[in-house]
Amino acid sequence: MLTPDEPRPVLLMNTIWANRSRLHDDLTTVGGLREFLGVPADEADLDAFLALRQALRDLAAVLTGDTREIARDRDLDRAVAEVNRAARSARQWPQLTVRDGELLRHNESEGSLADRERAAIAAEAVELFTGENRVLLRACHAPGCVLYFVKDHPRREWCSPSCGNRVRAARHYRRNRGESPGPNGFS
């Protein structure tokens, strides 16, 4: 499975995942959203996070040149508007505090905990999609995979070791049958 140290926007995008039998969605219920966030959430929050997730997946598809079937129907203008809406859903400002005679910074926010999480994930997505590491965002092209990942190692080509193993097994199978591999090592 995907490493938990992916950026939070990638983790949100990857709450849609596939195995050999079907496509799965971890955010079909408020309970699934609560589990993902670790904070209280309601139906309105679920709707807002589903809209943000779709926007992030659309933007990732554009940025990575994703040609997989799941990434085909993307709306760039709607995606940008949704990320911007989410980013301003909970206003945040820096505050000073004093602890043991030392000045410390912390952020105050307004809005529910779920709104704050959504705003923070959207802000992180803006950085991910526009920052210098944007070129490291990848779509996993293993057969049947629908995930995205940040290429954190020069040799990393798949979202997880299991996807890499599937590609290598398929390549081995084709080689032994005399078939030629496709452009990503599979047909």
Side-chain angles (χ1 to χ4, degrees):
M1 204 63 194
L2 196 66
T3 59
D5 41 317
E6 293 288 350
R8 290 190 315 162
V10 173
L11 293 175
L12 178 59
M13 287 187 281
N14 291 341
T15 57
I16 291 179
W17 54 281
N19 62 13
R20 288 185 174 145
S21 61
R22 65 185 175 94
L23 196 62
H24 298 270
D25 186 344
D26 292 339
L27 299 183
T28 58
T29 66
V30 172
L33 178 61
R34 286 182 191 133
E35 187 175 321
F36 174 76
L37 293 176
V39 301
D42 60 23
E43 281 293 331
D45 295 322
L46 178 60
D47 292 342
F49 271 91
L50 291 175
L52 177 59
R53 179 181 67 186
Q54 187 58 53
L56 296 178
R57 290 186 65 86
D58 287 355
L59 292 168
V62 169
L63 189 63
T64 63
D66 191 352
T67 58
R68 299 174 299 178
E69 184 175 330
I70 195 166
R72 289 202 181 124
D73 294 325
R74 52 190 180 226
D75 182 340
L76 185 59
D77 292 333
R78 183 203 47 77
V80 167
E82 183 57 41
V83 169
N84 289 339
R85 182 176 18 267
R88 56 177 186 263
S89 65
R91 199 167 64 88
Q92 197 174 39
W93 58 92
Q95 294 284 287
L96 282 174
T97 60
V98 179
R99 186 178 314 142
D100 298 326
E102 185 180 346
L103 288 175
L104 301 172
R105 174 194 168 130
H106 77 98
N107 290 322
E108 285 289 325
S109 297
E110 54 187 32
S112 70
L113 290 173
D115 284 341
R116 288 186 244 171
E117 287 295 309
R118 188 166 62 104
I121 290 171
E124 290 170 29
V126 170
E127 180 58 33
L128 176 66
F129 295 143
T130 63
E132 64 184 41
N133 287 335
R134 72 184 174 277
V135 297
L136 301 177
L137 184 65
R138 301 282 194 277
C140 183
H141 288 285
C145 190
V146 298
L147 301 180
Y148 291 94
F149 67 97
V150 174
K151 185 173 180 165
D152 57 359
H153 186 277
R155 294 183 57 180
R156 185 176 181 193
E157 292 299 324
W158 317 107
C159 70
S160 67
S162 62
C163 275
N165 289 340
R166 279 199 316 271
V167 169
R168 285 187 285 281
R171 190 180 305 140
H172 174 77
Y173 178 75
R174 269 190 314 286
R175 202 175 309 130
N176 288 333
R177 291 189 62 217
E179 298 175 14
S180 62
N184 293 316
F186 56 92
S187 3

